[in-house]
């Protein structure tokens, strides 16, 4: 029964990674598709490959997820908590995907973990949640907004005397690089989040000890599922990010992607903080758009997105807690 529970939990974790891929693929490529720097299919294929590569770049974020947010629960109850956390995250991912809202898969997962842990009587490491999740959740969009604005100002100043058509053509080519960087950062951040969950499941099942290195098969499985999900594509969300917030041109797209990628690499390597790719790219797009004029950004759409951010963790936590009680009811 314990082996069966482990296999089911890992299967659901990989399912979450797949939903994460198609939910968040838009983040990496919406800007380059909306500026016509890349065709949607080419952009998705590139994002899938870079997601795969990004998954192998580090393990700091995975360590934070597996050891820094909730105390590792034990036995059958522990596996039930993990399963319920994943169900909460997947349900919220599907709801927000259906409505085309770019909410955060990461925060859905963290909300699910906290909700299931509280329902299952496992200790939540509130200092870890505050330092690694809540503070970066509020800080990263602010940094994205300001950095996007400043990067775009710098580009406008540097190319102020350039031929506009030539400059746009050049930035369209440069966007293939910045979009690749964005996808690489997404792989680095989001594949590791699921690796952390799978490692937790292996520790609960006594297959490995806490603090052991992440098994190579876990890295490959998580990376491949994220890539497959990415290639399946998140067209609904892509429309919101690429067109509804602001109409982007290639220099703006390049500025937004470069800003987003830089913040993701910095937070993963320096702080080991699992930040939301959605928050970062959305706020960078807003910052870049505000250099045109403040009312060029469709702040009404932005308001809906921000509202989605605030309700993601509590909503996923609630679904996860309910899932835990259902699991207990059915399997005791």
């Amino acid at each position: 029964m314990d082996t069966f529970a482990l296999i089911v939990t890992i299967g659901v974790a990989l399912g979450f990674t797949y939903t994460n891929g198609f939910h968040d693929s838009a983040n990496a490529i919406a800007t380059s598709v909306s500026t016509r720097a890349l065709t949607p299919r080419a952009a998705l294929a590139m994002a899938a490959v870079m997601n795969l590569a990004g998954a192998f770049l580090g393990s700091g974020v995975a360590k934070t997820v597996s050891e820094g947010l909730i105390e590792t629960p034990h036995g059958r109850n522990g596996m039930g908590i993990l399963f319920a956390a994943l169900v909460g995250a997947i349900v919220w991912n599907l709801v927000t995907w259906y409505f085309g809202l770019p909410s955060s898969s990461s925060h859905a997962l963290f909300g699910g973990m906290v909700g299931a842990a509280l329902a299952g009587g496992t200790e939540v490491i509130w200092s870890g949640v505050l330092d690694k999740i809540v503070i970066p959740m509020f800080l990263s969009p602010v940094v994205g907004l300001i950095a996007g604005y400043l990067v775009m100002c710098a580009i406008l100043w540097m190319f102020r005397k350039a031929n506009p058509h030539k400059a746009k053509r050049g930035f369209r080519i440069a966007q293939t690089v910045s979009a690749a960087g964005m996808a690489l950062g997404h792989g680095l951040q989001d594949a590791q989040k699921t690796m952390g969950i799978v490692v937790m499941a292996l520790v609960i099942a006594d297959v490995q000890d806490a603090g052991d290195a992440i098994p190579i098969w876990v890295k490959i499985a998580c990376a491949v599922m994220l890539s497959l999900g990415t290639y399946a594509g998140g067209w609904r969300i892509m429309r919101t990010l690429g067109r509804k917030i602001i109409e982007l041109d290639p220099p703006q797209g390049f500025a937004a992607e470069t800003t987003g990628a830089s913040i993701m690499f910095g937070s993963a390597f320096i702080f080991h903080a699992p930040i939301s790719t959605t928050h970062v790219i959305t706020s960078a797009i807003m910052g870049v758009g505000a250099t045109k004029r403040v009312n060029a950004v469709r702040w009404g759409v932005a308001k809906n997105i921000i509202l989605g951010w605030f309700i993601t963790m509590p909503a996923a936590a609630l679904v996860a807690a309910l899932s835990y009680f259902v699991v207990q009811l059915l399997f005791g």
Side-chain angles (χ1 to χ4, degrees):
M1 181 62 196
D2 287 347
T3 308
F4 175 72
L6 175 65
I7 291 166
V8 168
T9 303
I10 291 174
V12 175
L14 294 176
F16 167 77
T17 310
Y18 184 83
T19 68
N20 189 345
F22 78 67
H23 194 280
D24 287 5
S25 59
N27 301 341
I29 61 172
T31 44
S32 48
V33 171
S34 74
T35 61
R36 295 182 177 82
L38 293 168
T39 64
R41 281 285 158 218
L44 281 168
M46 180 275 295
V49 171
M50 297 310 276
N51 269 185
L52 195 64
F56 292 93
L57 288 180
S59 58
V61 170
K63 194 174 171 64
T64 296
V65 173
S66 64
E67 297 173 21
L69 304 179
I70 65 172
E71 291 292 344
T72 304
H74 295 291
R76 214 160 152 194
N77 184 48
M79 210 62 85
I81 287 170
L82 221 48
F83 176 81
L86 289 161
V87 169
I90 290 170
V91 168
W92 188 249
N93 264 1
L94 293 174
V95 168
T96 49
W97 168 80
Y98 181 80
F99 290 106
L101 269 181
S103 81
S104 166
S105 294
S106 311
H107 291 132
L109 178 62
F110 305 142
M113 287 173 74
V114 170
L118 289 173
T122 289
E123 193 183 330
V124 175
I125 305 167
W126 291 110
S127 58
V129 173
L130 184 69
D131 293 347
K132 299 292 187 183
I133 310 300
V134 177
I135 292 172
M137 179 168 95
F138 288 104
L139 211 54
S140 59
V142 175
V143 173
L145 191 75
I146 295 167
Y149 182 85
L150 294 175
V151 168
M152 193 62 215
C153 285
I155 287 171
L156 289 170
W157 187 80
M158 285 161 69
F159 291 89
R160 65 194 183 283
K161 291 175 182 170
N163 177 307
H165 293 295
K166 271 189 183 170
K168 276 190 180 178
R169 202 158 54 240
F171 275 108
R172 202 164 266 144
I173 296 163
Q175 256 201 285
T176 56
V177 179
S178 60
M182 188 73 203
L184 196 67
H186 181 233
L188 170 69
Q189 278 279 347
D190 284 21
Q192 281 194 54
K193 288 160 192 168
T194 312
M195 287 178 209
I197 292 289
V198 174
V199 164
M200 218 170 178
L202 294 172
V203 171
I204 290 169
D206 286 330
V207 174
Q208 71 173 57
D209 294 323
D212 284 358
I214 300 169
I216 192 74
W217 69 266
V218 173
K219 289 188 177 186
I220 293 168
C222 293
V224 167
M225 288 305 282
L226 187 71
S227 286
L228 289 173
T230 297
Y231 194 69
W235 303 104
R236 289 168 187 265
I237 294 166
M238 207 184 296
R239 273 201 298 276
T240 302
L241 276 179
R243 293 284 168 83
K244 286 185 182 173
I245 297 173
I246 184 169
E247 294 290 339
L248 294 169
D249 60 21
Q252 291 173 325
F254 174 80
E257 287 169 345
T258 304
T259 302
S262 304
I263 293 168
M264 283 194 288
F265 281 109
S267 64
F269 287 124
I270 299 166
F271 303 110
H272 299 161
I275 61 164
S276 165
T277 52
T278 315
H279 288 195
V280 169
I281 190 63
T282 309
S283 55
I285 289 172
M286 288 183 207
V288 164
T291 57
K292 264 187 178 177
R293 58 186 189 282
V294 174
N295 63 357
V297 179
R298 295 179 188 131
W299 295 106
V301 176
K303 186 188 76 181
N304 290 345
I305 290 167
I306 291 164
L307 202 63
W309 294 351
F310 278 106
I311 59 172
T312 291
M313 278 186 76
L318 192 62
V319 176
L322 291 172
S323 304
Y324 175 80
F325 291 127
V326 170
V327 168
Q328 288 301 100
L329 208 65
L330 294 176
F331 302 106

Short mmCIF file of all heavy atoms in Angstrom, two decimals, residues 190-221:
data_model
loop_
_atom_site.label_atom_id
_atom_site.label_comp_id
_atom_site.label_asym_id
_atom_site.label_seq_id
_atom_site.Cartn_x
_atom_site.Cartn_y
_atom_site.Cartn_z
N ASP A 190 10.87 26.31 -12.18
CA ASP A 190 9.65 25.51 -11.99
C ASP A 190 9.85 24.01 -11.99
O ASP A 190 9.10 23.29 -11.33
CB ASP A 190 8.59 25.93 -13.02
CG ASP A 190 7.95 27.26 -12.64
OD1 ASP A 190 8.59 28.01 -11.87
OD2 ASP A 190 6.84 27.56 -13.09
N ALA A 191 10.83 23.50 -12.74
CA ALA A 191 11.08 22.05 -12.67
C ALA A 191 11.58 21.68 -11.28
O ALA A 191 11.23 20.63 -10.74
CB ALA A 191 12.10 21.64 -13.74
N GLN A 192 12.37 22.57 -10.69
CA GLN A 192 12.92 22.29 -9.35
C GLN A 192 11.84 22.23 -8.27
O GLN A 192 11.99 21.53 -7.28
CB GLN A 192 13.93 23.37 -8.97
CG GLN A 192 15.28 23.18 -9.63
CD GLN A 192 16.32 24.07 -8.96
OE1 GLN A 192 16.50 24.04 -7.75
NE2 GLN A 192 16.99 24.86 -9.76
N LYS A 193 10.77 22.98 -8.46
CA LYS A 193 9.70 22.98 -7.45
C LYS A 193 9.10 21.58 -7.33
O LYS A 193 8.87 21.07 -6.23
CB LYS A 193 8.63 24.01 -7.83
CG LYS A 193 9.12 25.44 -7.61
CD LYS A 193 8.33 26.46 -8.37
CE LYS A 193 9.07 27.80 -8.35
NZ LYS A 193 8.54 28.78 -9.28
N THR A 194 8.87 20.93 -8.49
CA THR A 194 8.32 19.57 -8.44
C THR A 194 9.37 18.58 -7.96
O THR A 194 9.04 17.62 -7.27
CB THR A 194 7.80 19.15 -9.82
OG1 THR A 194 7.00 20.20 -10.33
CG2 THR A 194 6.95 17.91 -9.73
N MET A 195 10.63 18.80 -8.33
CA MET A 195 11.70 17.92 -7.82
C MET A 195 11.66 17.89 -6.30
O MET A 195 11.81 16.84 -5.67
CB MET A 195 13.08 18.43 -8.27
CG MET A 195 13.40 18.21 -9.73
SD MET A 195 15.04 18.92 -10.07
CE MET A 195 14.86 19.35 -11.78
N GLY A 196 11.46 19.08 -5.70
CA GLY A 196 11.39 19.17 -4.24
C GLY A 196 10.26 18.33 -3.67
O GLY A 196 10.42 17.66 -2.64
N ILE A 197 9.11 18.34 -4.35
CA ILE A 197 7.95 17.55 -3.90
C ILE A 197 8.23 16.05 -4.02
O ILE A 197 7.93 15.27 -3.10
CB ILE A 197 6.70 17.92 -4.74
CG1 ILE A 197 6.26 19.35 -4.43
CG2 ILE A 197 5.56 16.94 -4.49
CD1 ILE A 197 5.64 19.57 -3.08
N VAL A 198 8.81 15.62 -5.15
CA VAL A 198 9.11 14.20 -5.37
C VAL A 198 10.12 13.72 -4.33
O VAL A 198 9.99 12.63 -3.77
CB VAL A 198 9.61 13.94 -6.81
CG1 VAL A 198 10.04 12.48 -6.98
CG2 VAL A 198 8.52 14.27 -7.83
N VAL A 199 11.15 14.54 -4.06
CA VAL A 199 12.15 14.19 -3.04
C VAL A 199 11.48 14.02 -1.68
O VAL A 199 11.76 13.08 -0.94
CB VAL A 199 13.27 15.27 -2.97
CG1 VAL A 199 14.08 15.14 -1.69
CG2 VAL A 199 14.18 15.16 -4.20
N MET A 200 10.54 14.92 -1.38
CA MET A 200 9.79 14.83 -0.12
C MET A 200 9.04 13.50 -0.03
O MET A 200 9.02 12.85 1.03
CB MET A 200 8.80 15.99 -0.06
CG MET A 200 8.65 16.60 1.30
SD MET A 200 7.69 18.10 1.16
CE MET A 200 7.61 18.54 2.87
N ALA A 201 8.40 13.10 -1.14
CA ALA A 201 7.67 11.83 -1.17
C ALA A 201 8.61 10.65 -0.94
O ALA A 201 8.28 9.71 -0.21
CB ALA A 201 6.95 11.68 -2.52
N LEU A 202 9.81 10.71 -1.53
CA LEU A 202 10.79 9.63 -1.37
C LEU A 202 11.29 9.55 0.08
O LEU A 202 11.52 8.47 0.61
CB LEU A 202 11.98 9.85 -2.32
CG LEU A 202 11.68 9.73 -3.82
CD1 LEU A 202 12.88 10.16 -4.64
CD2 LEU A 202 11.25 8.32 -4.20
N VAL A 203 11.43 10.71 0.73
CA VAL A 203 11.86 10.75 2.14
C VAL A 203 10.75 10.18 3.03
O VAL A 203 11.02 9.39 3.94
CB VAL A 203 12.24 12.19 2.57
CG1 VAL A 203 12.46 12.28 4.08
CG2 VAL A 203 13.49 12.67 1.83
N ILE A 204 9.50 10.57 2.76
CA ILE A 204 8.36 10.06 3.54
C ILE A 204 8.28 8.53 3.43
O ILE A 204 8.02 7.84 4.41
CB ILE A 204 7.03 10.69 3.05
CG1 ILE A 204 6.99 12.18 3.43
CG2 ILE A 204 5.82 9.98 3.65
CD1 ILE A 204 5.86 12.96 2.77
N ALA A 205 8.55 8.02 2.22
CA ALA A 205 8.47 6.57 1.99
C ALA A 205 9.73 5.82 2.41
O ALA A 205 9.86 4.62 2.17
CB ALA A 205 8.17 6.31 0.52
N ASP A 206 10.70 6.55 3.01
CA ASP A 206 11.98 5.97 3.45
C ASP A 206 12.81 5.37 2.30
O ASP A 206 13.60 4.46 2.50
CB ASP A 206 11.77 4.87 4.52
CG ASP A 206 11.39 5.48 5.87
OD1 ASP A 206 11.83 6.61 6.13
OD2 ASP A 206 10.64 4.84 6.62
N VAL A 207 12.61 5.90 1.10
CA VAL A 207 13.41 5.45 -0.05
C VAL A 207 14.76 6.16 -0.04
O VAL A 207 15.77 5.63 -0.46
CB VAL A 207 12.65 5.72 -1.38
CG1 VAL A 207 13.52 5.39 -2.59
CG2 VAL A 207 11.36 4.91 -1.42
N GLN A 208 14.76 7.41 0.46
CA GLN A 208 16.03 8.12 0.64
C GLN A 208 15.95 8.99 1.88
O GLN A 208 14.87 9.21 2.43
CB GLN A 208 16.38 8.93 -0.60
CG GLN A 208 15.55 10.17 -0.86
CD GLN A 208 16.12 10.98 -2.02
OE1 GLN A 208 16.28 10.48 -3.13
NE2 GLN A 208 16.45 12.23 -1.78
N ASP A 209 17.10 9.48 2.33
CA ASP A 209 17.16 10.30 3.54
C ASP A 209 17.08 11.77 3.18
O ASP A 209 17.48 12.18 2.09
CB ASP A 209 18.48 10.03 4.29
CG ASP A 209 18.53 8.60 4.83
OD1 ASP A 209 17.48 8.09 5.24
OD2 ASP A 209 19.63 8.00 4.80
N ALA A 210 16.60 12.57 4.14
CA ALA A 210 16.57 14.03 3.95
C ALA A 210 18.00 14.53 3.75
O ALA A 210 18.92 14.07 4.41
CB ALA A 210 15.94 14.69 5.17
N GLY A 211 18.15 15.44 2.82
CA GLY A 211 19.49 16.00 2.57
C GLY A 211 20.27 15.26 1.49
O GLY A 211 21.32 15.73 1.06
N ASP A 212 19.77 14.09 1.06
CA ASP A 212 20.45 13.37 -0.04
C ASP A 212 20.33 14.17 -1.34
O ASP A 212 19.42 14.98 -1.50
CB ASP A 212 19.80 11.99 -0.26
CG ASP A 212 20.22 10.99 0.82
OD1 ASP A 212 21.03 11.37 1.69
OD2 ASP A 212 19.74 9.84 0.79
N ALA A 213 21.23 13.88 -2.27
CA ALA A 213 21.19 14.54 -3.58
C ALA A 213 19.92 14.12 -4.33
O ALA A 213 19.39 13.02 -4.11
CB ALA A 213 22.42 14.16 -4.39
N ILE A 214 19.44 14.98 -5.21
CA ILE A 214 18.24 14.66 -6.00
C ILE A 214 18.62 13.58 -7.01
O ILE A 214 19.56 13.75 -7.80
CB ILE A 214 17.72 15.91 -6.76
CG1 ILE A 214 17.36 17.02 -5.77
CG2 ILE A 214 16.51 15.56 -7.62
CD1 ILE A 214 17.10 18.37 -6.42
N PRO A 215 17.91 12.44 -7.01
CA PRO A 215 18.22 11.38 -7.99
C PRO A 215 18.08 11.89 -9.42
O PRO A 215 17.19 12.69 -9.71
CB PRO A 215 17.18 10.29 -7.69
CG PRO A 215 16.69 10.58 -6.31
CD PRO A 215 16.79 12.07 -6.13
N ILE A 216 18.93 11.41 -10.30
CA ILE A 216 18.95 11.89 -11.69
C ILE A 216 17.63 11.59 -12.39
O ILE A 216 17.14 12.40 -13.20
CB ILE A 216 20.16 11.30 -12.47
CG1 ILE A 216 20.34 12.02 -13.81
CG2 ILE A 216 20.05 9.80 -12.66
CD1 ILE A 216 20.91 13.42 -13.71
N TRP A 217 16.98 10.45 -12.05
CA TRP A 217 15.70 10.11 -12.71
C TRP A 217 14.62 11.11 -12.34
O TRP A 217 13.71 11.39 -13.15
CB TRP A 217 15.27 8.68 -12.41
CG TRP A 217 14.85 8.40 -10.98
CD1 TRP A 217 15.63 7.92 -9.98
CD2 TRP A 217 13.55 8.61 -10.40
NE1 TRP A 217 14.91 7.81 -8.81
CE2 TRP A 217 13.63 8.22 -9.05
CE3 TRP A 217 12.34 9.08 -10.90
CZ2 TRP A 217 12.54 8.30 -8.18
CZ3 TRP A 217 11.24 9.16 -10.04
CH2 TRP A 217 11.34 8.78 -8.70
N VAL A 218 14.71 11.66 -11.12
CA VAL A 218 13.73 12.67 -10.69
C VAL A 218 13.90 13.94 -11.53
O VAL A 218 12.92 14.52 -12.02
CB VAL A 218 13.88 13.00 -9.18
CG1 VAL A 218 12.98 14.16 -8.77
CG2 VAL A 218 13.57 11.77 -8.34
N LYS A 219 15.16 14.34 -11.72
CA LYS A 219 15.43 15.54 -12.54
C LYS A 219 14.91 15.35 -13.97
O LYS A 219 14.25 16.24 -14.52
CB LYS A 219 16.94 15.82 -12.58
CG LYS A 219 17.51 16.33 -11.27
CD LYS A 219 18.94 16.78 -11.44
CE LYS A 219 19.47 17.36 -10.14
NZ LYS A 219 20.80 17.95 -10.27
N ILE A 220 15.22 14.19 -14.55
CA ILE A 220 14.81 13.93 -15.93
C ILE A 220 13.29 13.89 -16.05
O ILE A 220 12.70 14.53 -16.94
CB ILE A 220 15.43 12.60 -16.45
CG1 ILE A 220 16.96 12.75 -16.57
CG2 ILE A 220 14.82 12.20 -17.80
CD1 ILE A 220 17.70 11.45 -16.80
N ALA A 221 12.63 13.17 -15.14
CA ALA A 221 11.16 13.04 -15.20
C ALA A 221 10.48 14.41 -15.08
O ALA A 221 9.58 14.74 -15.87
CB ALA A 221 10.67 12.12 -14.08
#
